[in-house]
Amino acid sequence: MKLPCQTIVWDVLPAIRAAIAEELVKLGVSQQETARLLDMAPSAISQYLSKKRGYRIEFENDVKKAINTLAMDLSKGENSDLPKRICDICTMLRETNSECSSHCKNTQEK
């Protein structure tokens, strides 16, 4: 049985990080700087951008807006409490009727 925590670690968090990385690069932030801002290896950012990693969940509505806002703040140097903001996005995603929510539910039932 796959626990919901496993789904979050393997699917949700990488998808959130990938979406933030994509937004940062769209805003003109280099991959190297994106890696520094997210405290990740540049190779991870490259994998996110090439869809080799973190591509399983598409975000909509409030979650996408929160990701965009976070990316904007990061690009401006306003990266206060990044872990909390990512946790808030994850929580928001799980509370909606999104693919994540149904994926976590389906995973629990197996």
Side-chain angles (χ1 to χ4, degrees):
M1 173 176 68
K2 190 173 176 185
L3 300 174
C5 320
Q6 290 171 299
T7 300
I8 291 167
V9 169
W10 286 101
D11 297 334
V12 178
L13 290 177
I16 291 170
R17 288 182 181 137
I20 295 168
E22 286 179 29
E23 289 301 317
L24 284 167
V25 171
K26 282 181 191 175
L27 291 168
V29 178
S30 71
Q31 288 186 32
Q32 202 65 19
E33 180 64 7
T34 297
R36 188 191 68 74
L37 290 170
L38 296 177
D39 194 23
M40 302 177 71
S43 59
I45 301 302
S46 177
Q47 289 177 341
Y48 287 146
L49 297 175
S50 65
K51 305 281 190 223
K52 292 180 182 175
R53 187 181 198 186
Y55 60 89
R56 294 184 180 147
I57 299 172
E58 290 291 323
F59 302 112
E60 296 179 7
N61 306 322
D62 292 341
V63 173
K64 191 168 192 164
K65 184 177 178 182
I67 288 169
N68 292 342
T69 300
L70 175 55
M72 288 284 284
D73 290 349
L74 287 169
S75 73
K76 295 176 189 174
E78 301 169 8
N79 59 349
S80 63
D81 211 358
L82 179 60
K84 181 186 180 322
R85 290 185 69 185
I86 290 175
C87 285
D88 290 345
I89 291 168
C90 182
T91 300
M92 185 186 308
L93 181 63
R94 290 183 325 214
E95 289 174 349
T96 64
N97 291 327
S98 66
E99 181 179 332
C100 173
S101 183
S102 62
H103 183 71
C104 288
K105 183 180 180 203
N106 291 337
T107 303
Q108 284 178 323
E109 292 171 356
K110 291 182 181 178

Short mmCIF file of all heavy atoms in Angstrom, two decimals, residues 25-90:
data_model
loop_
_atom_site.label_atom_id
_atom_site.label_comp_id
_atom_site.label_asym_id
_atom_site.label_seq_id
_atom_site.Cartn_x
_atom_site.Cartn_y
_atom_site.Cartn_z
N VAL A 25 11.88 30.69 -14.75
CA VAL A 25 12.57 30.80 -16.03
C VAL A 25 11.76 31.67 -17.00
O VAL A 25 12.33 32.49 -17.73
CB VAL A 25 12.87 29.39 -16.61
CG1 VAL A 25 13.37 29.47 -18.04
CG2 VAL A 25 13.90 28.68 -15.73
N LYS A 26 10.43 31.55 -16.98
CA LYS A 26 9.58 32.42 -17.81
C LYS A 26 9.77 33.89 -17.44
O LYS A 26 9.64 34.77 -18.29
CB LYS A 26 8.10 32.06 -17.64
CG LYS A 26 7.67 30.84 -18.39
CD LYS A 26 6.18 30.61 -18.15
CE LYS A 26 5.73 29.26 -18.65
NZ LYS A 26 4.32 28.98 -18.31
N LEU A 27 10.06 34.12 -16.16
CA LEU A 27 10.27 35.50 -15.69
C LEU A 27 11.68 36.01 -15.99
O LEU A 27 12.03 37.12 -15.61
CB LEU A 27 9.99 35.58 -14.19
CG LEU A 27 8.54 35.40 -13.78
CD1 LEU A 27 8.43 35.21 -12.26
CD2 LEU A 27 7.70 36.57 -14.23
N GLY A 28 12.50 35.18 -16.64
CA GLY A 28 13.84 35.60 -17.03
C GLY A 28 14.93 35.23 -16.05
O GLY A 28 16.08 35.66 -16.20
N VAL A 29 14.61 34.44 -15.04
CA VAL A 29 15.62 33.99 -14.08
C VAL A 29 16.38 32.83 -14.71
O VAL A 29 15.77 31.92 -15.30
CB VAL A 29 14.96 33.55 -12.74
CG1 VAL A 29 15.98 33.05 -11.76
CG2 VAL A 29 14.15 34.71 -12.16
N SER A 30 17.70 32.84 -14.62
CA SER A 30 18.50 31.76 -15.20
C SER A 30 18.27 30.45 -14.46
O SER A 30 17.84 30.45 -13.30
CB SER A 30 19.99 32.12 -15.15
OG SER A 30 20.45 32.06 -13.80
N GLN A 31 18.59 29.35 -15.13
CA GLN A 31 18.46 28.05 -14.47
C GLN A 31 19.38 27.96 -13.26
O GLN A 31 19.00 27.39 -12.23
CB GLN A 31 18.78 26.92 -15.45
CG GLN A 31 17.72 26.73 -16.50
CD GLN A 31 17.99 25.51 -17.37
OE1 GLN A 31 18.55 24.52 -16.92
NE2 GLN A 31 17.57 25.59 -18.62
N GLN A 32 20.54 28.53 -13.37
CA GLN A 32 21.51 28.52 -12.27
C GLN A 32 20.94 29.28 -11.06
O GLN A 32 21.02 28.80 -9.93
CB GLN A 32 22.81 29.17 -12.77
CG GLN A 32 24.05 28.84 -12.03
CD GLN A 32 24.47 27.39 -12.11
OE1 GLN A 32 24.07 26.61 -12.97
NE2 GLN A 32 25.28 27.00 -11.17
N GLU A 33 20.37 30.44 -11.31
CA GLU A 33 19.79 31.25 -10.23
C GLU A 33 18.53 30.58 -9.68
O GLU A 33 18.28 30.61 -8.48
CB GLU A 33 19.47 32.67 -10.73
CG GLU A 33 18.87 33.57 -9.69
CD GLU A 33 19.78 33.87 -8.50
OE1 GLU A 33 20.96 33.50 -8.51
OE2 GLU A 33 19.27 34.49 -7.54
N THR A 34 17.75 29.96 -10.54
CA THR A 34 16.57 29.22 -10.10
C THR A 34 16.97 28.12 -9.13
O THR A 34 16.36 27.93 -8.08
CB THR A 34 15.80 28.64 -11.30
OG1 THR A 34 15.32 29.73 -12.11
CG2 THR A 34 14.64 27.79 -10.87
N ALA A 35 18.03 27.40 -9.47
CA ALA A 35 18.54 26.34 -8.60
C ALA A 35 18.96 26.92 -7.25
O ALA A 35 18.65 26.35 -6.20
CB ALA A 35 19.72 25.63 -9.26
N ARG A 36 19.62 28.06 -7.27
CA ARG A 36 20.05 28.69 -6.01
C ARG A 36 18.84 29.12 -5.18
O ARG A 36 18.78 28.86 -3.98
CB ARG A 36 20.94 29.90 -6.29
CG ARG A 36 21.58 30.47 -5.03
CD ARG A 36 22.24 31.80 -5.27
NE ARG A 36 21.29 32.87 -5.57
CZ ARG A 36 20.49 33.46 -4.67
NH1 ARG A 36 20.51 33.08 -3.41
NH2 ARG A 36 19.68 34.44 -5.03
N LEU A 37 17.86 29.74 -5.83
CA LEU A 37 16.68 30.21 -5.11
C LEU A 37 15.89 29.07 -4.47
O LEU A 37 15.33 29.23 -3.39
CB LEU A 37 15.76 31.00 -6.06
CG LEU A 37 16.27 32.35 -6.52
CD1 LEU A 37 15.38 32.90 -7.63
CD2 LEU A 37 16.33 33.33 -5.35
N LEU A 38 15.83 27.94 -5.16
CA LEU A 38 15.07 26.80 -4.65
C LEU A 38 15.95 25.82 -3.86
O LEU A 38 15.46 24.78 -3.42
CB LEU A 38 14.40 26.06 -5.81
CG LEU A 38 13.34 26.88 -6.57
CD1 LEU A 38 12.78 26.08 -7.74
CD2 LEU A 38 12.23 27.33 -5.63
N ASP A 39 17.23 26.17 -3.68
CA ASP A 39 18.18 25.34 -2.94
C ASP A 39 18.21 23.92 -3.51
O ASP A 39 18.04 22.94 -2.80
CB ASP A 39 17.83 25.32 -1.45
CG ASP A 39 18.97 24.77 -0.59
OD1 ASP A 39 20.12 24.81 -1.05
OD2 ASP A 39 18.69 24.27 0.52
N MET A 40 18.40 23.87 -4.82
CA MET A 40 18.43 22.60 -5.54
C MET A 40 19.63 22.57 -6.47
O MET A 40 20.21 23.61 -6.79
CB MET A 40 17.15 22.44 -6.36
CG MET A 40 15.89 22.49 -5.53
SD MET A 40 14.44 22.40 -6.56
CE MET A 40 14.57 20.70 -7.04
N ALA A 41 19.93 21.38 -6.95
CA ALA A 41 21.00 21.23 -7.93
C ALA A 41 20.53 21.76 -9.29
O ALA A 41 19.36 21.58 -9.65
CB ALA A 41 21.39 19.76 -8.06
N PRO A 42 21.42 22.40 -10.04
CA PRO A 42 21.05 22.86 -11.39
C PRO A 42 20.55 21.71 -12.28
O PRO A 42 19.68 21.92 -13.11
CB PRO A 42 22.35 23.46 -11.93
CG PRO A 42 23.10 23.87 -10.71
CD PRO A 42 22.77 22.84 -9.67
N SER A 43 21.08 20.51 -12.07
CA SER A 43 20.62 19.37 -12.87
C SER A 43 19.16 19.04 -12.60
O SER A 43 18.42 18.64 -13.52
CB SER A 43 21.49 18.14 -12.60
OG SER A 43 21.45 17.80 -11.23
N ALA A 44 18.69 19.24 -11.38
CA ALA A 44 17.28 19.01 -11.05
C ALA A 44 16.41 20.02 -11.79
O ALA A 44 15.36 19.65 -12.34
CB ALA A 44 17.05 19.11 -9.55
N ILE A 45 16.85 21.26 -11.83
CA ILE A 45 16.09 22.30 -12.55
C ILE A 45 16.02 21.93 -14.03
O ILE A 45 14.96 22.03 -14.65
CB ILE A 45 16.73 23.69 -12.36
CG1 ILE A 45 16.79 24.07 -10.87
CG2 ILE A 45 15.99 24.74 -13.19
CD1 ILE A 45 15.45 24.09 -10.15
N SER A 46 17.13 21.49 -14.59
CA SER A 46 17.14 21.08 -15.99
C SER A 46 16.15 19.94 -16.24
O SER A 46 15.42 19.95 -17.24
CB SER A 46 18.56 20.65 -16.38
OG SER A 46 18.58 20.18 -17.70
N GLN A 47 16.11 18.98 -15.34
CA GLN A 47 15.17 17.86 -15.49
C GLN A 47 13.72 18.33 -15.36
O GLN A 47 12.85 17.84 -16.06
CB GLN A 47 15.48 16.77 -14.46
CG GLN A 47 16.75 16.03 -14.77
CD GLN A 47 17.09 15.00 -13.71
OE1 GLN A 47 16.59 15.04 -12.59
NE2 GLN A 47 17.95 14.06 -14.08
N TYR A 48 13.46 19.26 -14.48
CA TYR A 48 12.11 19.81 -14.35
C TYR A 48 11.70 20.50 -15.65
O TYR A 48 10.59 20.31 -16.14
CB TYR A 48 12.02 20.82 -13.21
CG TYR A 48 12.04 20.23 -11.82
CD1 TYR A 48 12.65 20.90 -10.77
CD2 TYR A 48 11.45 19.00 -11.54
CE1 TYR A 48 12.66 20.37 -9.49
CE2 TYR A 48 11.45 18.47 -10.27
CZ TYR A 48 12.06 19.17 -9.25
OH TYR A 48 12.06 18.64 -7.99
N LEU A 49 12.58 21.30 -16.20
CA LEU A 49 12.25 22.07 -17.39
C LEU A 49 12.11 21.19 -18.64
O LEU A 49 11.36 21.53 -19.55
CB LEU A 49 13.30 23.16 -17.63
CG LEU A 49 13.38 24.22 -16.53
CD1 LEU A 49 14.52 25.19 -16.79
CD2 LEU A 49 12.06 24.96 -16.38
N SER A 50 12.80 20.06 -18.65
CA SER A 50 12.70 19.15 -19.80
C SER A 50 11.62 18.08 -19.60
O SER A 50 11.51 17.17 -20.40
CB SER A 50 14.05 18.50 -20.07
OG SER A 50 14.42 17.67 -18.99
N LYS A 51 10.88 18.21 -18.51
CA LYS A 51 9.76 17.29 -18.19
C LYS A 51 10.22 15.86 -17.93
O LYS A 51 9.46 14.92 -18.08
CB LYS A 51 8.71 17.29 -19.30
CG LYS A 51 8.16 18.64 -19.65
CD LYS A 51 7.13 19.07 -18.66
CE LYS A 51 6.42 20.31 -19.16
NZ LYS A 51 6.22 21.29 -18.16
N LYS A 52 11.46 15.69 -17.50
CA LYS A 52 11.93 14.37 -17.11
C LYS A 52 11.61 14.09 -15.65
O LYS A 52 11.74 12.98 -15.19
CB LYS A 52 13.45 14.27 -17.32
CG LYS A 52 13.86 14.30 -18.77
CD LYS A 52 15.34 14.20 -18.91
CE LYS A 52 15.73 14.28 -20.38
NZ LYS A 52 17.18 14.29 -20.55
N ARG A 53 11.19 15.11 -14.95
CA ARG A 53 10.94 15.03 -13.52
C ARG A 53 9.85 16.04 -13.15
O ARG A 53 9.82 17.13 -13.69
CB ARG A 53 12.26 15.39 -12.83
CG ARG A 53 12.37 15.23 -11.39
CD ARG A 53 13.78 15.69 -11.01
NE ARG A 53 14.16 15.21 -9.72
CZ ARG A 53 15.27 15.55 -9.11
NH1 ARG A 53 16.13 16.36 -9.68
NH2 ARG A 53 15.55 15.08 -7.93
N GLY A 54 8.94 15.64 -12.26
CA GLY A 54 7.96 16.58 -11.74
C GLY A 54 6.87 16.99 -12.70
O GLY A 54 6.32 18.08 -12.58
N TYR A 55 6.50 16.16 -13.63
CA TYR A 55 5.55 16.54 -14.67
C TYR A 55 4.17 15.89 -14.51
O TYR A 55 3.31 16.06 -15.35
CB TYR A 55 6.10 16.16 -16.04
CG TYR A 55 6.34 14.68 -16.18
CD1 TYR A 55 5.33 13.83 -16.62
CD2 TYR A 55 7.56 14.12 -15.83
CE1 TYR A 55 5.53 12.46 -16.70
CE2 TYR A 55 7.77 12.76 -15.92
CZ TYR A 55 6.76 11.94 -16.36
OH TYR A 55 6.97 10.60 -16.44
N ARG A 56 3.92 15.16 -13.46
CA ARG A 56 2.72 14.34 -13.36
C ARG A 56 1.43 15.07 -12.99
O ARG A 56 0.36 14.52 -13.14
CB ARG A 56 2.95 13.23 -12.32
CG ARG A 56 4.01 12.27 -12.77
CD ARG A 56 4.16 11.14 -11.79
NE ARG A 56 5.19 10.24 -12.26
CZ ARG A 56 6.00 9.58 -11.50
NH1 ARG A 56 5.89 9.67 -10.19
NH2 ARG A 56 6.90 8.78 -12.01
N ILE A 57 1.54 16.28 -12.50
CA ILE A 57 0.34 16.99 -12.04
C ILE A 57 0.28 18.35 -12.74
O ILE A 57 1.25 19.09 -12.77
CB ILE A 57 0.36 17.19 -10.52
CG1 ILE A 57 0.39 15.84 -9.80
CG2 ILE A 57 -0.85 18.00 -10.05
CD1 ILE A 57 0.59 15.93 -8.31
N GLU A 58 -0.89 18.65 -13.29
CA GLU A 58 -1.15 19.98 -13.86
C GLU A 58 -1.93 20.77 -12.82
O GLU A 58 -2.89 20.27 -12.25
CB GLU A 58 -1.96 19.85 -15.14
CG GLU A 58 -1.20 19.26 -16.31
CD GLU A 58 -0.12 20.17 -16.83
OE1 GLU A 58 -0.33 21.40 -16.86
OE2 GLU A 58 0.94 19.65 -17.21
N PHE A 59 -1.55 22.01 -12.62
CA PHE A 59 -2.20 22.83 -11.61
C PHE A 59 -3.20 23.78 -12.25
O PHE A 59 -3.02 24.23 -13.37
CB PHE A 59 -1.16 23.63 -10.84
CG PHE A 59 -0.14 22.76 -10.17
CD1 PHE A 59 1.17 22.76 -10.58
CD2 PHE A 59 -0.51 21.93 -9.14
CE1 PHE A 59 2.11 21.94 -9.98
CE2 PHE A 59 0.41 21.10 -8.52
CZ PHE A 59 1.73 21.12 -8.95
N GLU A 60 -4.23 24.10 -11.50
CA GLU A 60 -5.26 25.02 -11.97
C GLU A 60 -5.60 26.02 -10.87
O GLU A 60 -5.26 25.83 -9.71
CB GLU A 60 -6.51 24.24 -12.35
CG GLU A 60 -6.31 23.29 -13.52
CD GLU A 60 -7.55 22.51 -13.87
OE1 GLU A 60 -8.62 22.78 -13.30
OE2 GLU A 60 -7.43 21.60 -14.72
N ASN A 61 -6.30 27.06 -11.26
CA ASN A 61 -6.95 28.02 -10.38
C ASN A 61 -6.05 28.58 -9.29
O ASN A 61 -4.98 29.10 -9.57
CB ASN A 61 -8.24 27.43 -9.79
CG ASN A 61 -9.16 26.92 -10.87
OD1 ASN A 61 -9.28 27.52 -11.93
ND2 ASN A 61 -9.80 25.80 -10.62
N ASP A 62 -6.49 28.46 -8.03
CA ASP A 62 -5.79 29.07 -6.91
C ASP A 62 -4.38 28.52 -6.72
O ASP A 62 -3.48 29.25 -6.32
CB ASP A 62 -6.60 28.90 -5.62
CG ASP A 62 -7.89 29.71 -5.63
OD1 ASP A 62 -7.99 30.66 -6.43
OD2 ASP A 62 -8.79 29.38 -4.84
N VAL A 63 -4.21 27.23 -6.98
CA VAL A 63 -2.88 26.63 -6.81
C VAL A 63 -1.91 27.24 -7.82
O VAL A 63 -0.80 27.64 -7.46
CB VAL A 63 -2.96 25.09 -6.97
CG1 VAL A 63 -1.58 24.48 -6.96
CG2 VAL A 63 -3.82 24.49 -5.86
N LYS A 64 -2.34 27.34 -9.07
CA LYS A 64 -1.49 27.93 -10.10
C LYS A 64 -1.17 29.39 -9.78
O LYS A 64 -0.04 29.84 -9.94
CB LYS A 64 -2.16 27.82 -11.46
CG LYS A 64 -1.26 28.15 -12.60
CD LYS A 64 -1.88 27.74 -13.92
CE LYS A 64 -0.83 27.82 -15.00
NZ LYS A 64 -1.21 27.11 -16.19
N LYS A 65 -2.17 30.11 -9.28
CA LYS A 65 -1.96 31.51 -8.90
C LYS A 65 -0.95 31.61 -7.75
O LYS A 65 -0.08 32.48 -7.77
CB LYS A 65 -3.29 32.14 -8.49
CG LYS A 65 -3.19 33.60 -8.16
CD LYS A 65 -4.54 34.20 -7.82
CE LYS A 65 -4.38 35.67 -7.45
NZ LYS A 65 -5.65 36.27 -7.07
N ALA A 66 -1.04 30.72 -6.77
CA ALA A 66 -0.10 30.73 -5.65
C ALA A 66 1.32 30.43 -6.13
O ALA A 66 2.29 31.04 -5.66
CB ALA A 66 -0.54 29.72 -4.59
N ILE A 67 1.44 29.50 -7.06
CA ILE A 67 2.76 29.18 -7.63
C ILE A 67 3.31 30.38 -8.38
O ILE A 67 4.48 30.74 -8.23
CB ILE A 67 2.67 27.93 -8.53
CG1 ILE A 67 2.46 26.69 -7.65
CG2 ILE A 67 3.91 27.79 -9.40
CD1 ILE A 67 2.10 25.43 -8.41
N ASN A 68 2.48 31.03 -9.19
CA ASN A 68 2.91 32.22 -9.93
C ASN A 68 3.34 33.33 -8.99
O ASN A 68 4.36 33.99 -9.22
CB ASN A 68 1.78 32.72 -10.84
CG ASN A 68 1.48 31.76 -11.97
OD1 ASN A 68 2.28 30.90 -12.30
ND2 ASN A 68 0.31 31.90 -12.56
N THR A 69 2.57 33.55 -7.93
CA THR A 69 2.90 34.60 -6.95
C THR A 69 4.22 34.29 -6.26
O THR A 69 5.06 35.18 -6.08
CB THR A 69 1.77 34.74 -5.91
OG1 THR A 69 0.57 35.08 -6.59
CG2 THR A 69 2.09 35.81 -4.88
N LEU A 70 4.41 33.04 -5.88
CA LEU A 70 5.67 32.65 -5.24
C LEU A 70 6.84 32.87 -6.19
O LEU A 70 7.88 33.40 -5.79
CB LEU A 70 5.60 31.19 -4.78
CG LEU A 70 6.88 30.60 -4.19
CD1 LEU A 70 7.41 31.45 -3.03
CD2 LEU A 70 6.63 29.17 -3.73
N ALA A 71 6.69 32.47 -7.44
CA ALA A 71 7.77 32.67 -8.42
C ALA A 71 8.08 34.15 -8.59
O ALA A 71 9.25 34.54 -8.66
CB ALA A 71 7.40 32.03 -9.75
N MET A 72 7.04 34.98 -8.66
CA MET A 72 7.25 36.43 -8.78
C MET A 72 8.03 36.96 -7.58
O MET A 72 8.97 37.73 -7.74
CB MET A 72 5.91 37.16 -8.89
CG MET A 72 5.20 36.96 -10.20
SD MET A 72 5.92 37.91 -11.52
CE MET A 72 5.30 39.52 -11.14
N ASP A 73 7.62 36.54 -6.39
CA ASP A 73 8.30 36.99 -5.18
C ASP A 73 9.76 36.54 -5.17
O ASP A 73 10.65 37.33 -4.84
CB ASP A 73 7.59 36.47 -3.93
CG ASP A 73 6.24 37.13 -3.70
OD1 ASP A 73 5.93 38.14 -4.38
OD2 ASP A 73 5.47 36.62 -2.86
N LEU A 74 10.00 35.30 -5.55
CA LEU A 74 11.37 34.79 -5.60
C LEU A 74 12.21 35.57 -6.60
O LEU A 74 13.36 35.90 -6.34
CB LEU A 74 11.38 33.31 -5.95
CG LEU A 74 10.92 32.34 -4.87
CD1 LEU A 74 10.73 30.94 -5.44
CD2 LEU A 74 11.90 32.31 -3.70
N SER A 75 11.62 35.88 -7.75
CA SER A 75 12.36 36.60 -8.79
C SER A 75 12.72 38.02 -8.33
O SER A 75 13.69 38.60 -8.82
CB SER A 75 11.57 36.65 -10.09
OG SER A 75 10.48 37.53 -10.00
N LYS A 76 11.96 38.55 -7.39
CA LYS A 76 12.22 39.90 -6.86
C LYS A 76 13.10 39.86 -5.61
O LYS A 76 13.34 40.89 -5.00
CB LYS A 76 10.90 40.58 -6.50
CG LYS A 76 10.00 40.85 -7.67
CD LYS A 76 8.68 41.42 -7.17
CE LYS A 76 7.66 41.53 -8.26
NZ LYS A 76 6.34 41.94 -7.73
N GLY A 77 13.51 38.66 -5.21
CA GLY A 77 14.34 38.54 -4.01
C GLY A 77 13.55 38.46 -2.72
O GLY A 77 14.10 38.58 -1.63
N GLU A 78 12.25 38.28 -2.84
CA GLU A 78 11.38 38.20 -1.66
C GLU A 78 11.07 36.72 -1.38
O GLU A 78 9.97 36.25 -1.62
CB GLU A 78 10.08 38.97 -1.91
CG GLU A 78 10.29 40.42 -2.22
CD GLU A 78 9.03 41.10 -2.72
OE1 GLU A 78 7.95 40.50 -2.68
OE2 GLU A 78 9.15 42.25 -3.17
N ASN A 79 12.04 36.01 -0.85
CA ASN A 79 11.86 34.56 -0.66
C ASN A 79 11.66 34.18 0.80
O ASN A 79 12.10 33.15 1.24
CB ASN A 79 13.04 33.80 -1.26
CG ASN A 79 14.36 34.21 -0.65
OD1 ASN A 79 14.45 35.18 0.07
ND2 ASN A 79 15.40 33.45 -0.94
N SER A 80 10.95 35.02 1.52
CA SER A 80 10.74 34.74 2.93
C SER A 80 9.92 33.47 3.13
O SER A 80 8.87 33.30 2.52
CB SER A 80 10.07 35.93 3.62
OG SER A 80 8.80 36.15 3.06
N ASP A 81 10.42 32.60 3.96
CA ASP A 81 9.75 31.37 4.37
C ASP A 81 9.29 30.50 3.20
O ASP A 81 8.13 30.11 3.11
CB ASP A 81 8.58 31.70 5.30
CG ASP A 81 8.35 30.58 6.31
OD1 ASP A 81 9.06 29.56 6.25
OD2 ASP A 81 7.47 30.74 7.15
N LEU A 82 10.23 30.19 2.32
CA LEU A 82 9.95 29.36 1.16
C LEU A 82 9.35 28.00 1.54
O LEU A 82 8.35 27.60 0.94
CB LEU A 82 11.22 29.19 0.32
CG LEU A 82 11.09 28.32 -0.93
CD1 LEU A 82 10.07 28.90 -1.90
CD2 LEU A 82 12.45 28.19 -1.59
N PRO A 83 9.90 27.29 2.54
CA PRO A 83 9.30 25.99 2.89
C PRO A 83 7.82 26.10 3.29
O PRO A 83 7.00 25.28 2.86
CB PRO A 83 10.15 25.50 4.06
CG PRO A 83 11.46 26.18 3.87
CD PRO A 83 11.13 27.53 3.30
N LYS A 84 7.48 27.12 4.06
CA LYS A 84 6.09 27.28 4.47
C LYS A 84 5.19 27.56 3.27
O LYS A 84 4.09 27.02 3.16
CB LYS A 84 5.94 28.40 5.50
CG LYS A 84 4.48 28.55 5.96
CD LYS A 84 4.29 29.73 6.86
CE LYS A 84 2.87 29.92 7.33
NZ LYS A 84 1.81 29.64 6.39
N ARG A 85 5.67 28.38 2.35
CA ARG A 85 4.85 28.71 1.19
C ARG A 85 4.64 27.49 0.29
O ARG A 85 3.56 27.29 -0.25
CB ARG A 85 5.47 29.87 0.43
CG ARG A 85 5.32 31.16 1.26
CD ARG A 85 5.78 32.37 0.57
NE ARG A 85 4.92 32.73 -0.55
CZ ARG A 85 5.22 33.74 -1.37
NH1 ARG A 85 6.31 34.46 -1.17
NH2 ARG A 85 4.44 34.02 -2.38
N ILE A 86 5.66 26.65 0.16
CA ILE A 86 5.50 25.42 -0.62
C ILE A 86 4.54 24.48 0.10
O ILE A 86 3.68 23.87 -0.52
CB ILE A 86 6.86 24.76 -0.90
CG1 ILE A 86 7.65 25.62 -1.90
CG2 ILE A 86 6.67 23.34 -1.44
CD1 ILE A 86 9.06 25.15 -2.16
N CYS A 87 4.64 24.38 1.42
CA CYS A 87 3.70 23.56 2.20
C CYS A 87 2.27 24.08 2.04
O CYS A 87 1.33 23.29 1.92
CB CYS A 87 4.08 23.54 3.67
SG CYS A 87 5.50 22.51 4.03
N ASP A 88 2.11 25.40 2.04
CA ASP A 88 0.77 25.99 1.86
C ASP A 88 0.20 25.63 0.49
O ASP A 88 -0.99 25.31 0.37
CB ASP A 88 0.82 27.51 2.02
CG ASP A 88 1.07 27.95 3.46
OD1 ASP A 88 0.94 27.12 4.39
OD2 ASP A 88 1.42 29.13 3.65
N ILE A 89 1.03 25.66 -0.53
CA ILE A 89 0.59 25.29 -1.88
C ILE A 89 0.19 23.82 -1.91
O ILE A 89 -0.84 23.46 -2.47
CB ILE A 89 1.67 25.60 -2.92
CG1 ILE A 89 1.83 27.12 -3.07
CG2 ILE A 89 1.34 24.95 -4.26
CD1 ILE A 89 3.05 27.55 -3.85
N CYS A 90 0.98 22.98 -1.30
CA CYS A 90 0.68 21.54 -1.24
C CYS A 90 -0.65 21.30 -0.53
O CYS A 90 -1.49 20.53 -1.00
CB CYS A 90 1.82 20.80 -0.55
SG CYS A 90 1.59 19.02 -0.45
#
